[in-house]
């Protein structure tokens, strides 16, 4: 069996396990049984369940963002994040409500910072790295907190409302910060 197919089978097995079992109680045995592979095969591909979980997030969102990276606006990338959470509702909620929720939050935060950095780079070709990091941390964190609240509320808020809120905050914010940083104190 090809490596990509094996990893995908293991990912699907983990997702299936998480429909009935808290992530911290999911065992390698449960995963390999559902995937119909050996423990050795699992460990050939992943060090533990957390590495598999990180791979799932990476495959599902990062690849999409990289494919659209050159032609997309921050709104498109943020919409991909929201779409992923909505389309994988049960899986994301299971991750969010588990003891390992920080894996999901850290992953989303990394993505949000990337899309904010891209926005800063679009405003100024060679941004001040300190300003770029500060803006990415702050605004990326704000976007993730919005998604975290959405997960807390079991995804009851409409995605269009989340996008509108993000657009209100983001509209011109990066431009104003860059412009303000250029002005002498």
């Amino acid at each position: 069996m090809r490596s990509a197919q094996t990893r995908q089978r293991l990912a699907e097995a983990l997702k299936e396990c998480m429909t009935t079992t808290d992530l911290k109680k999911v065992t390698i045995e449960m995963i390999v049984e559902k995937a119909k592979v050996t423990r050795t095969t699992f460990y050939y591909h992943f060090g533990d369940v957390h590495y598999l979980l990180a791979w799932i997030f990476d495959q599902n969102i990062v690849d999409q963002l990289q494919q659209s990276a050159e032609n997309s606006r921050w709104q498109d990338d943020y919409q991909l994040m929201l779409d992923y959470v909505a389309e994988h509702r049960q899986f994301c909620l299971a991750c969010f409500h588990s003891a390992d929720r920080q894996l999901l939050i850290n992953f989303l935060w990394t993505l949000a910072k990337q899309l904010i950095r891209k926005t800063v780079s679009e405003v100024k070709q060679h941004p001040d790295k300190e300003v770029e990091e500060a803006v990415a941390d702050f605004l990326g964190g704000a976007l993730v907190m919005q998604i975290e609240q959405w997960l807390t509320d079991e995804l009851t808020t409409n995605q269009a409302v989340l996008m509108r809120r993000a657009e209100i905050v983001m509209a011109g914010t990066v431009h104003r910060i860059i412009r303000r940083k250029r002005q002498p104190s």
Side-chain angles (χ1 to χ4, degrees):
M1 184 184 300
R2 300 171 104 181
S3 289
Q5 291 172 324
T6 301
R7 285 190 293 271
Q8 193 58 44
R9 282 179 62 186
L10 290 165
E12 293 306 317
L14 174 59
K15 288 179 183 179
E16 189 178 330
C17 289
M18 288 176 62
T19 62
T20 59
T21 308
D22 186 80
L23 179 61
K24 69 180 175 187
K25 294 182 181 177
V26 172
T27 65
I28 303 298
E29 289 302 320
M30 294 166 71
I31 296 168
V32 299
E33 184 179 309
K34 287 194 184 298
K36 298 182 182 0
V37 299
T38 65
R39 284 178 69 85
T40 304
T41 299
F42 179 91
Y43 286 114
Y44 176 78
H45 294 285
F46 302 104
D48 63 20
V49 175
H50 302 290
Y51 285 105
L52 172 56
L53 187 59
W55 183 85
I56 291 169
F57 292 140
D58 191 58
Q59 292 301 299
N60 286 301
I61 300 180
V62 173
D63 285 351
Q64 289 178 32
L65 289 175
Q66 287 174 343
Q67 289 171 10
S68 70
E70 292 182 20
N71 301 324
S72 66
R73 305 166 305 137
W74 74 265
Q75 292 94 328
D76 300 326
D77 294 344
Y78 190 54
Q79 188 64 57
L80 278 174
M81 291 170 67
L82 295 175
D83 288 345
Y84 176 80
V85 172
E87 289 169 20
H88 300 91
R89 176 190 181 100
Q90 188 172 4
F91 173 65
C92 288
L93 284 170
C95 290
F96 184 71
H97 292 301
S98 77
D100 296 312
R101 80 189 282 167
Q102 202 58 46
L103 287 172
L104 174 62
I105 300 304
N106 288 346
F107 179 72
L108 292 171
W109 194 60
T110 299
L111 295 175
K113 284 177 64 172
Q114 287 174 2
L115 74 90
I116 298 297
R117 278 191 196 102
K118 184 170 82 172
T119 303
V120 171
S121 295
E122 289 169 0
V123 171
K124 186 174 184 202
Q125 251 185 349
H126 301 289
D128 176 311
K129 289 298 176 189
E130 181 183 12
V131 171
E132 180 180 0
E133 250 336 276
V135 172
D137 278 347
F138 190 81
L139 293 177
L143 293 176
V144 172
M145 285 303 298
Q146 181 172 265
I147 294 174
E148 190 170 353
Q149 186 59 49
W150 190 39
L151 287 162
T152 299
D153 296 339
E154 304 289 320
L155 282 67
T156 56
T157 305
N158 185 298
Q159 285 187 47
V161 172
L162 298 177
M163 278 302 300
R164 182 67 189 131
R165 288 176 183 165
E167 287 172 340
I168 288 169
V169 171
M170 290 289 292
T173 300
V174 173
H175 290 282
R176 283 191 299 276
I177 292 169
I178 299 291
R179 207 173 331 131
R180 193 167 138 224
K181 180 64 179 171
R182 286 186 200 147
Q183 297 171 353
S185 304

